[in-house]
């Protein structure tokens, strides 16, 4: 148990020593603080100097990583050991972007030939669609690609396709349908013509209820106007490890792409689950993204902890989560193209580390994964930053921003960046009572009026942030950033001694929904649940329109 270790205790008492330190004083005392607490990898700069840390804090945190055997576990992960022990699976998403010639083994078997073969197939399919060689039933090229999938089979491809839109093919539209609420699929279908639409049914299991229902609605919609089941081949492809089910659906086995059990859904955008990305940006750009991720993998494996960006991010997260008792963590991108990054990281982080049972099957005695939330930073400034600045909760945050904007409209970009720098400075420094007083007096206020307003205008500051600057959000950098967060999550899981790669917590609700679905079929009163659930089900049944 981490809490009973000497290093945990040392960190606990160190916290007591430094928790009242003010970052503004630390900056005043040490002009080298930025140089000391910043790291670079390729074109990514991490400034972590605006954190409530000293040299000693980092020393202790690095010791925690060493004693938690982060290096050994990293070695196990990359060498294909079945570290996802509750599902008896290896965790080898890094093989999907292994652009080297080195083999990657599971049970003594090199997985790379299969991975490379699948990449070739993806290249072939995507090129024929992008070059308009792929023709639909009426001989027209594809104009719209609809990804039907949910969770890991949707969030990654959607986030990346949006993020790399400037690199995407311009006269093709991409739609992501995940919700079983018919409004989602209907909104997409309303815009589309069956003869020019390609559906990608993305489901590792090909049994996920939401995806299967949406796929069957899409199939019906398609066959309603194209009354020919053999045409399904030209308009539906699948990414799955359940080939039989996809073939039964009518998909040409040639167009069924593989998934492996050693890739978790939320880590799968590098596989054929990334097909919408490849169709949008082309295989060469996708390979650049893999290159960025591969180089981050090497950085993570090879750099000492002191220079290792994912490790440093992970340790800072642990520091706030476990010693400052911070409950949440904000992801604040200042690049519009990253607008789905917070949602993507919510799944990546919370499904991985939202666990209360440790690797030995015991209940943990420490807090594990934080609540991840976020939004495009500039919009969030006008919404929830109030709470980060002046609320009662400590919310560590990552600010992410590009140095060069894609469109290069300098005026916009300078305003944007001035906000990044201003917000992190404001969060760190705050504004003292005497600063507020001086400001109000300079504005001509005095006496009772000044005293009454003064407390509301004070900012306590000392709010921690990391700033990640990168040259531009190109495929390679995005690949690096995603891999950086994947490894951060991994390191935290090791320190908390949990399995970051299963997701049993999503099962219970699914099981109950199957039972309740049967109860919704007729009008009879339901009495088998608690009074709230019975009451809600019966209220719904009594008030729904006849035909529903
Ligand atoms: C991710 C999870 C989960 C999964 C979805 C979709 O790590 O496993 O989000 O991706 O439940 O599952 P299918 O791909 O099997 O439809």
């Amino acid at each position: 148990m981490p809490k009973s270790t000497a290093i945990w205790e040392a960190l606990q008492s160190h916290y007591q020593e430094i928790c009242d330190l003010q970052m503004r004083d630390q900056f005043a005392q040490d002009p080298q603080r930025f140089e000391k607490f910043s790291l670079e990898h390729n074109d990514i700069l991490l400034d972590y100097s605006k954190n409530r840390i000293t040299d000693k804090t980092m020393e202790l945190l690095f010791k925690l990583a060493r004693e938690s055997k982060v290096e050994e576990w990293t070695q196990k992960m990359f060498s294909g050991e079945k570290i996802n022990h509750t599902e008896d699976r290896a965790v080898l998403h890094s093989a999907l972007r292994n652009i080297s010639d080195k083999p990657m083994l599971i049970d003594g078997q090199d997985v790379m030939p299969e991975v490379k073969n699948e990449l070739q197939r993806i290249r072939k399919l995507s090129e024929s669609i992008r070059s308009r060689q792929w023709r639909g039933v009426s001989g027209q090229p594809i104009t719209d690609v609809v990804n039907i999938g949910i969770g890991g089979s949707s969030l990654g491809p959607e986030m990346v396709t949006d993020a790399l839109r400037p690199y995407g093919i311009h006269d093709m539209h991409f739609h992501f349908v995940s919700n079983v609420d018919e409004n989602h699929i209907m909104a997409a279908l309303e815009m589309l013509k069956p003869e020019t639409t390609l559906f990608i049914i993305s489901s590792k299991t090909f049994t996920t209820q939401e995806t299967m229902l949406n796929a069957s609605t899409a199939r019906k919609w398609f066959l309603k106007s194209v009354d020919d089941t053999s045409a399904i081949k030209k308009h539906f492809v699948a990414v799955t490890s359940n080939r039989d089910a996809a073939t039964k659906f009518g998909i040409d086995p040639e167009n069924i792409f593989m998934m492996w059990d050693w890739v978790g859904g939320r880590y799968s955008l590098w596989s054929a689950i990334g097909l919408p990305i490849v169709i949008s940006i082309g295989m060469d750009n996708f390979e650049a993204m893999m290159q960025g991720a591969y180089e981050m993998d090497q950085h993570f494996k090879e750099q000492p902890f002191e220079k290792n960006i994912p490790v440093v991010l992970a340790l800072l997260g642990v520091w706030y989560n476990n010693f400052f008792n911070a409950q949440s963590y904000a992801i604040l991108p200042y690049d519009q193209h990253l607008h789905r990054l917070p949602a993507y990281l919510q799944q990546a982080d919370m499904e991985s580390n939202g666990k209360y049972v440790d690797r030995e099957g015991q209940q943990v005695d420490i807090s594990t994964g934080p609540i991840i939330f976020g939004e495009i930073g500039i919009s969030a400034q006008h919404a929830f930053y109030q709470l980060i600045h002046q609320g009662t909760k400590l919310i560590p945050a990552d600010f992410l921003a590009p140095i060069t904007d894609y469109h290069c409209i300098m005026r916009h970009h300078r305003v944007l960046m001035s906000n990044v720098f201003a917000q992190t400075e404001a969060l760190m420094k705050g504004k003292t009572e005497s600063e507020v007083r001086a400001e109000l007096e300079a504005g001509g206020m005095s006496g009772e009026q000044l005293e009454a307003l003064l407390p509301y205008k004070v900012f306590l500051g000392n709010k921690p942030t990391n700033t990640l600057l990168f040259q531009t959000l190109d495929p390679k950098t995005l690949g690096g950033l995603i891999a950086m967060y994947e490894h951060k999550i991994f390191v935290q899981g090791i320190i908390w001694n949990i399995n970051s790669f299963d997701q049993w917590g999503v099962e219970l609700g699914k099981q109950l929904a199957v039972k309740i679905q049967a109860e919704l079929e007729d009008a009879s009163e339901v009495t088998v649940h608690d009074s709230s659930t019975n009451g809600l089900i019966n209220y719904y049944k009594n008030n729904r329109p006849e035909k529903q």
Side-chain angles (χ1 to χ4, degrees), residues 150-153 203-205 208 264-266 347 351 503:
I150 196 164
S153 299
S203 176
K204 187 166 159 185
T205 53
T208 304
R266 54 194 175 276
Q347 181 192 28
E351 201 167 69
Q503 54 282 313

Side-chain angles (χ1 to χ4, degrees), residues 13 48 166 235 276 290 319 337 507:
S13 52
Y48 66 100
H235 293 271
M290 287 162 57
W319 181 228
H337 292 119
E507 295 302 323

